Amino acid sequence: EENEVRNQQLNTDLFALGYITYPSEGRPENDDWQPELGFFIPNITLATALRLARKYEQNAIVYGYVNGLPQLVWV
C-alpha cells in the first residue's frame, strides 16, 4: 500500500517536472523479492533521477542511455 502511494506521488512529481512516464516492473532473477512497480522515464538526467530516488528512499535505480546497457546505480 505504501509503495502504491509513493509511486503516485513520484508520478505527480515527474509530471510537474514535465516528464512523460511509462509503467515498468522490476523483477528479481530468482524470486528473492516481489516484483516492484516503477517507471521508465525517457530523457531524465541521472542527477534528477538520483534526487527523486533519495526523496522516495530508494536503494538503487536502473539508468541507461539509448543503444547502451542499463546499469544499476546505488543511491
Side-chain angles (χ1 to χ4, degrees):
E1 229 176 80
E2 183 179 342
N3 280 347
E4 289 178 27
V5 170
R6 285 180 181 230
N7 265 1
Q8 284 289 51
Q9 292 169 336
L10 173 57
N11 198 36
T12 298
D13 283 355
L14 291 165
F15 181 78
L17 291 169
Y19 291 105
I20 295 170
T21 64
Y22 300 92
S24 69
E25 187 175 88
R27 292 183 163 268
E29 287 185 22
N30 52 12
D31 294 331
D32 287 349
W33 41 271
Q34 294 290 329
E36 293 183 338
L37 298 179
F39 300 99
F40 171 74
I41 310 156
N43 301 316
I44 193 168
T45 64
L46 181 57
T48 299
L50 287 171
R51 182 173 53 80
L52 289 167
R54 286 184 195 100
K55 178 178 179 178
Y56 290 100
E57 301 176 346
Q58 298 300 297
N59 293 322
I61 60 171
V62 176
Y63 190 83
Y65 298 95
V66 173
N67 298 323
L69 292 174
Q71 296 180 332
L72 183 65
V73 179
W74 294 100
V75 176

